[in-house]
Amino acid sequence: MRRPTRAEVLQAADDHIGYFPLDEPRERARELREAVLTWREGEEVPQAVYEAARRFCLSLGIRVPACGWENDDGYQVRAIDRDTGEAEPPPAAEAAAAPRSYGDASKKAAWLAQAVAGAVNIAGALASPRLWAKATSWPSREHLIEHVDQLLSAFGTELDQQKFAAPARRLRALLSAWEPGPEIPKGISAAARELLAALGIQEPPGGWDAPEGPLEGPSNDNA
Protein backbone atom coordinates (compact mmCIF):
# COMPACT_ATOMS: atom_id res chain seq x y z
CA MET A 1 0.00 0.00 0.00
CA ARG A 2 1.12 3.59 -0.55
CA ARG A 3 0.59 6.41 1.87
CA PRO A 4 -0.20 9.86 0.44
CA THR A 5 2.71 12.20 -0.09
CA ARG A 6 3.15 15.45 1.78
CA ALA A 7 2.20 17.35 -1.38
CA GLU A 8 -1.00 15.33 -1.81
CA VAL A 9 -2.12 15.99 1.74
CA LEU A 10 -1.40 19.70 1.37
CA GLN A 11 -3.35 19.80 -1.90
CA ALA A 12 -6.29 17.99 -0.32
CA ALA A 13 -6.33 20.46 2.58
CA ASP A 14 -6.12 23.40 0.19
CA ASP A 15 -9.01 22.03 -1.88
CA HIS A 16 -11.15 21.69 1.22
CA ILE A 17 -10.30 25.17 2.47
CA GLY A 18 -11.07 26.62 -0.95
CA TYR A 19 -14.35 24.88 -1.68
CA PHE A 20 -15.97 23.68 1.55
CA PRO A 21 -18.16 26.36 3.19
CA LEU A 22 -18.52 25.07 6.76
CA ASP A 23 -16.42 26.99 9.28
CA GLU A 24 -15.32 24.21 11.62
CA PRO A 25 -14.12 21.72 8.96
CA ARG A 26 -12.28 24.55 7.17
CA GLU A 27 -10.55 25.54 10.43
CA ARG A 28 -9.61 21.92 11.09
CA ALA A 29 -8.29 21.67 7.50
CA ARG A 30 -6.11 24.72 8.15
CA GLU A 31 -4.78 23.07 11.32
CA LEU A 32 -4.04 19.92 9.35
CA ARG A 33 -2.22 21.93 6.70
CA GLU A 34 -0.07 23.66 9.31
CA ALA A 35 0.79 20.31 10.88
CA VAL A 36 1.72 18.80 7.51
CA LEU A 37 4.16 21.65 6.90
CA THR A 38 6.23 20.24 9.78
CA TRP A 39 6.49 16.89 8.00
CA ARG A 40 9.66 16.42 5.99
CA GLU A 41 9.36 14.12 3.00
CA GLY A 42 10.99 10.76 3.64
CA GLU A 43 10.67 11.02 7.42
CA GLU A 44 8.08 9.49 9.71
CA VAL A 45 4.77 11.31 9.82
CA PRO A 46 4.75 13.54 12.93
CA GLN A 47 2.21 12.70 15.61
CA ALA A 48 0.81 16.22 15.21
CA VAL A 49 -0.27 15.32 11.67
CA TYR A 50 -2.16 12.25 12.88
CA GLU A 51 -3.87 14.25 15.61
CA ALA A 52 -4.83 17.08 13.24
CA ALA A 53 -6.15 14.56 10.70
CA ARG A 54 -8.33 12.94 13.36
CA ARG A 55 -9.75 16.31 14.45
CA PHE A 56 -10.47 17.08 10.80
CA CYS A 57 -12.29 13.77 10.34
CA LEU A 58 -14.36 14.38 13.47
CA SER A 59 -15.36 17.84 12.19
CA LEU A 60 -16.81 16.15 9.10
CA GLY A 61 -18.98 13.88 11.20
CA ILE A 62 -16.76 10.81 10.79
CA ARG A 63 -16.92 8.64 13.88
CA VAL A 64 -13.94 7.32 15.78
CA PRO A 65 -13.56 3.66 14.73
CA ALA A 66 -15.01 1.28 17.29
CA CYS A 67 -11.57 -0.23 17.77
CA GLY A 68 -9.88 3.18 17.96
CA TRP A 69 -7.84 5.05 15.36
CA GLU A 70 -4.69 3.02 16.01
CA ASN A 71 -6.49 -0.31 15.59
CA ASP A 72 -8.59 0.52 12.55
CA ASP A 73 -8.78 -2.19 9.88
CA GLY A 74 -6.78 -0.06 7.45
CA TYR A 75 -9.48 0.45 4.83
CA GLN A 76 -8.97 4.21 4.66
CA VAL A 77 -5.25 3.69 4.07
CA ARG A 78 -5.84 1.05 1.39
CA ALA A 79 -8.32 3.32 -0.35
CA ILE A 80 -5.60 5.90 -0.87
CA ASP A 81 -3.54 3.49 -2.94
CA ARG A 82 -4.12 4.49 -6.57
CA ASP A 83 -1.33 2.33 -7.93
CA THR A 84 -2.78 -1.11 -7.35
CA GLY A 85 -6.17 -2.72 -7.75
CA GLU A 86 -5.79 -4.74 -4.59
CA ALA A 87 -7.52 -2.34 -2.18
CA GLU A 88 -10.94 -3.86 -1.71
CA PRO A 89 -13.20 -2.33 0.93
CA PRO A 90 -14.70 -4.57 3.59
CA PRO A 91 -18.41 -5.42 3.06
CA ALA A 92 -19.66 -2.86 5.59
CA ALA A 93 -17.70 -0.05 3.98
CA GLU A 94 -18.79 -1.08 0.51
CA ALA A 95 -22.42 -1.07 1.60
CA ALA A 96 -21.96 2.48 2.88
CA ALA A 97 -20.66 3.57 -0.54
CA ALA A 98 -17.19 4.25 0.84
CA PRO A 99 -14.70 5.58 -1.76
CA ARG A 100 -12.65 2.82 -3.37
CA SER A 101 -9.60 4.89 -4.33
CA TYR A 102 -7.86 8.21 -3.75
CA GLY A 103 -9.48 9.55 -6.93
CA ASP A 104 -12.93 8.38 -5.83
CA ALA A 105 -12.41 9.97 -2.43
CA SER A 106 -11.48 13.28 -4.07
CA LYS A 107 -14.55 13.17 -6.30
CA LYS A 108 -16.79 12.38 -3.35
CA ALA A 109 -15.31 15.27 -1.35
CA ALA A 110 -15.89 17.62 -4.29
CA TRP A 111 -19.49 16.40 -4.62
CA LEU A 112 -20.12 16.91 -0.91
CA ALA A 113 -18.66 20.42 -1.06
CA GLN A 114 -20.78 21.29 -4.10
CA ALA A 115 -23.93 19.93 -2.49
CA VAL A 116 -23.37 21.84 0.75
CA ALA A 117 -22.45 25.06 -1.07
CA GLY A 118 -25.59 24.87 -3.23
CA ALA A 119 -27.81 24.32 -0.21
CA VAL A 120 -26.13 27.16 1.69
CA ASN A 121 -26.67 29.55 -1.21
CA ILE A 122 -30.36 28.68 -1.50
CA ALA A 123 -31.00 28.69 2.25
CA GLY A 124 -29.09 31.95 2.62
CA ALA A 125 -31.38 33.62 0.10
CA LEU A 126 -34.53 32.17 1.67
CA ALA A 127 -33.42 33.23 5.16
CA SER A 128 -33.74 36.93 4.29
CA PRO A 129 -37.27 37.84 3.12
CA ARG A 130 -36.38 41.51 2.73
CA LEU A 131 -33.44 40.86 0.44
CA TRP A 132 -35.32 38.11 -1.41
CA ALA A 133 -38.09 40.57 -2.22
CA LYS A 134 -35.58 42.89 -3.93
CA ALA A 135 -34.88 40.35 -6.67
CA THR A 136 -36.37 40.93 -10.11
CA SER A 137 -36.91 37.22 -10.72
CA TRP A 138 -37.01 34.09 -8.58
CA PRO A 139 -35.89 30.50 -9.04
CA SER A 140 -38.44 27.83 -9.72
CA ARG A 141 -39.71 25.51 -7.03
CA GLU A 142 -37.95 22.63 -8.78
CA HIS A 143 -34.63 24.48 -8.72
CA LEU A 144 -34.86 25.15 -4.99
CA ILE A 145 -35.86 21.58 -4.20
CA GLU A 146 -33.09 20.22 -6.43
CA HIS A 147 -30.41 21.84 -4.26
CA VAL A 148 -31.96 20.51 -1.07
CA ASP A 149 -32.21 17.05 -2.63
CA GLN A 150 -28.55 17.17 -3.62
CA LEU A 151 -27.64 17.90 -0.02
CA LEU A 152 -29.83 15.06 1.24
CA SER A 153 -28.48 12.55 -1.26
CA ALA A 154 -24.78 13.48 -1.08
CA PHE A 155 -24.25 11.98 2.38
CA GLY A 156 -25.83 8.61 1.58
CA THR A 157 -26.14 6.28 4.55
CA GLU A 158 -24.44 8.88 6.77
CA LEU A 159 -27.30 11.37 6.32
CA ASP A 160 -29.20 10.59 9.52
CA GLN A 161 -26.05 11.23 11.55
CA GLN A 162 -25.90 14.83 10.30
CA LYS A 163 -27.47 17.65 12.31
CA PHE A 164 -28.84 19.25 9.16
CA ALA A 165 -30.87 16.22 8.03
CA ALA A 166 -34.09 17.13 9.88
CA PRO A 167 -34.14 20.85 8.98
CA ALA A 168 -33.25 20.05 5.37
CA ARG A 169 -36.18 17.63 5.10
CA ARG A 170 -38.46 20.18 6.76
CA LEU A 171 -37.38 22.89 4.32
CA ARG A 172 -37.92 20.57 1.37
CA ALA A 173 -41.47 19.73 2.51
CA LEU A 174 -42.33 23.43 2.81
CA LEU A 175 -40.78 24.27 -0.56
CA SER A 176 -42.79 21.55 -2.30
CA ALA A 177 -46.01 23.37 -1.37
CA TRP A 178 -44.83 26.89 -2.33
CA GLU A 179 -44.77 28.69 -5.66
CA PRO A 180 -41.77 31.05 -5.40
CA GLY A 181 -42.57 34.76 -5.58
CA PRO A 182 -41.58 38.01 -3.89
CA GLU A 183 -42.95 37.01 -0.48
CA ILE A 184 -41.44 34.11 1.44
CA PRO A 185 -43.69 32.34 3.97
CA LYS A 186 -42.38 32.73 7.53
CA GLY A 187 -42.14 28.96 7.92
CA ILE A 188 -39.80 28.67 4.94
CA SER A 189 -37.53 31.46 6.18
CA ALA A 190 -37.46 29.88 9.63
CA ALA A 191 -36.61 26.46 8.18
CA ALA A 192 -33.88 27.99 5.99
CA ARG A 193 -32.33 29.70 9.01
CA GLU A 194 -32.50 26.48 10.99
CA LEU A 195 -30.74 24.63 8.17
CA LEU A 196 -28.01 27.26 8.00
CA ALA A 197 -27.48 27.03 11.76
CA ALA A 198 -27.20 23.24 11.50
CA LEU A 199 -24.60 23.69 8.76
CA GLY A 200 -22.58 26.00 10.99
CA ILE A 201 -23.56 29.26 9.28
CA GLN A 202 -24.03 32.01 11.84
CA GLU A 203 -26.62 34.75 11.61
CA PRO A 204 -24.97 37.91 10.23
CA PRO A 205 -24.53 40.99 12.45
CA GLY A 206 -27.82 42.85 12.62
CA GLY A 207 -29.90 39.82 11.71
CA TRP A 208 -30.79 37.99 8.52
CA ASP A 209 -32.56 41.04 7.10
CA ALA A 210 -29.74 43.47 7.81
CA PRO A 211 -29.16 45.79 4.83
CA GLU A 212 -26.26 44.30 2.90
CA GLY A 213 -26.91 45.45 -0.62
CA PRO A 214 -28.91 43.88 -3.46
CA LEU A 215 -29.77 40.21 -3.36
CA GLU A 216 -27.40 37.92 -5.21
CA GLY A 217 -28.16 34.29 -5.70
CA PRO A 218 -31.70 33.25 -6.64
CA SER A 219 -31.76 32.27 -10.29
CA ASN A 220 -32.67 29.33 -12.45
CA ASP A 221 -29.06 28.77 -13.45
CA ASN A 222 -27.40 25.68 -12.00
CA ALA A 223 -23.90 27.05 -12.40
Side-chain angles (χ1 to χ4, degrees), residues 127-168:
S128 177
R130 190 186 65 80
L131 294 180
W132 176 278
K134 288 185 176 182
T136 56
S137 63
W138 294 271
S140 67
R141 175 195 301 162
E142 291 74 21
H143 179 70
L144 296 173
I145 291 176
E146 178 185 6
H147 281 285
V148 179
D149 283 345
Q150 286 177 352
L151 178 66
L152 292 171
S153 64
F155 285 80
T157 58
E158 300 292 320
L159 176 62
D160 289 332
Q161 301 173 21
Q162 310 301 323
K163 293 190 299 182
F164 63 77

Side-chain angles (χ1 to χ4, degrees), residues 39-198:
W39 172 24
R40 295 182 179 180
E41 200 70 59
E43 296 183 355
E44 288 297 317
V45 180
Q47 185 63 28
V49 174
Y50 289 119
E51 293 173 355
R54 292 167 185 175
R55 288 194 296 270
F56 174 63
C57 289
L58 291 173
S59 75
L60 294 173
I62 298 173
R63 296 178 175 180
V64 178
C67 54
W69 295 109
E70 295 291 349
N71 300 313
D72 194 13
D73 64 7
Y75 167 66
Q76 294 299 336
V77 175
R78 293 197 302 274
I80 292 172
D81 193 348
R82 293 176 292 179
D83 301 327
T84 73
E86 300 174 358
E88 291 298 328
E94 189 168 16
R100 298 176 63 89
S101 68
Y102 181 88
D104 289 344
S106 297
K107 291 177 182 177
K108 182 174 182 180
W111 165 242
L112 290 176
Q114 181 181 5
V116 173
V120 167
N121 288 339
I122 290 300
L126 293 170
S128 177
R130 190 186 65 80
L131 294 180
W132 176 278
K134 288 185 176 182
T136 56
S137 63
W138 294 271
S140 67
R141 175 195 301 162
E142 291 74 21
H143 179 70
L144 296 173
I145 291 176
E146 178 185 6
H147 281 285
V148 179
D149 283 345
Q150 286 177 352
L151 178 66
L152 292 171
S153 64
F155 285 80
T157 58
E158 300 292 320
L159 176 62
D160 289 332
Q161 301 173 21
Q162 310 301 323
K163 293 190 299 182
F164 63 77
R169 290 179 176 131
R170 185 156 45 253
L171 178 60
R172 189 194 190 285
L174 293 169
L175 289 174
S176 66
W178 177 53
E179 186 61 37
E183 294 187 6
I184 303 176
K186 291 183 179 180
I188 289 180
S189 289
R193 295 173 185 182
E194 185 181 358
L195 174 58
L196 290 170

